[in-house]
Amino acid sequence: MTTNEHTTTAPGPGPFAAEEAPRLEWARHAPEVWKAMLRLEKAAGQGLDPKLKELVKIRASQLNHCAFCLDMHTKDALAAGESVERIVQLAAWEESRHFYTERELAAIELTEAVTVLTDGFVPDDVYEKAAKSFDETELAHLIAAITVINAWNRFGVACRLTPGHYTPGQHG
């Protein structure tokens, strides 16, 4: 083993692949940015249901392939009382719509539109569904929460932060 890797103690049959160290511990090297992001995170999520926030964070993290954030937000969702089944089905929410409320579906669809921006904009029908499900203050906070998790995902992916060590509420 090199100094940058160690084996995990994950359950099940082994051996496991070596765990890679992060490329960069960005929060240690940019502590003021880290603190500002934490403040932004807190402000963005005000007034939103904790389970809904976690579903949004998980879905954006799935789309952005951020393993670190997936680890964190699935654990936080479970701690907030979210079911394993709904978390697992989130990757296939369009085929599993019956697991979610119309309000949650509107938030998940908006999360995808804001996260991916494939067409360079958020489609009007997606925005309108969200606007019908959330009042303007809630919608502003939902868009802010989606934007913030996308920023966190970019730190996680760029720095290749290592999943598996987060404890629920650790950064709360």
Side-chain angles (χ1 to χ4, degrees):
M1 266 184 283
T2 69
T3 57
N4 287 342
E5 57 187 62
H6 62 278
T7 57
T8 63
T9 56
F16 298 99
E19 182 178 288
E20 292 186 35
R23 285 180 175 158
L24 176 70
E25 293 180 25
W26 77 270
R28 186 166 59 93
H29 296 288
E32 292 307 313
V33 176
W34 166 260
K35 291 175 194 171
M37 284 295 296
L38 290 174
R39 288 190 305 273
L40 184 58
E41 170 82 26
K42 185 176 181 180
Q46 287 181 351
L48 295 176
D49 175 70
K51 288 184 191 178
L52 178 68
K53 279 191 297 191
E54 295 305 329
L55 289 175
V56 163
K57 291 174 184 182
I58 293 166
R59 187 62 191 134
S61 299
Q62 289 171 336
L63 293 167
N64 289 322
H65 305 279
C66 185
F68 181 82
C69 291
L70 278 170
D71 177 56
M72 176 185 297
H73 296 297
T74 55
K75 288 175 180 175
D76 283 345
L78 290 167
E82 188 54 80
S83 73
V84 171
E85 189 171 41
R86 283 172 31 106
I87 293 169
V88 169
Q89 292 300 318
L90 193 54
W93 69 270
E94 290 176 292
E95 293 82 23
S96 305
R97 298 177 70 83
H98 61 284
F99 284 90
Y100 308 99
T101 67
E102 287 303 316
R103 183 175 165 95
E104 290 167 338
L105 290 168
I108 294 165
E109 193 170 2
L110 183 63
T111 299
E112 288 198 4
V114 172
T115 299
V116 179
L117 290 175
T118 305
D119 297 322
F121 59 90
V122 174
D124 289 340
D125 64 320
V126 172
Y127 183 86
E128 289 304 318
K129 284 182 204 171
K132 288 178 184 172
S133 295
F134 297 90
D135 67 35
E136 288 183 340
T137 299
E138 291 172 320
L139 185 57
H141 282 273
L142 177 60
I143 292 169
I146 295 166
T147 301
V148 171
I149 189 56
N150 274 280
W152 283 120
N153 288 166
R154 278 136 181 88
F155 284 117
V157 172
C159 298
R160 199 178 287 142
L161 300 180
T162 308
H165 303 284
Y166 179 77
T167 305
Q170 179 178 334
H171 298 302

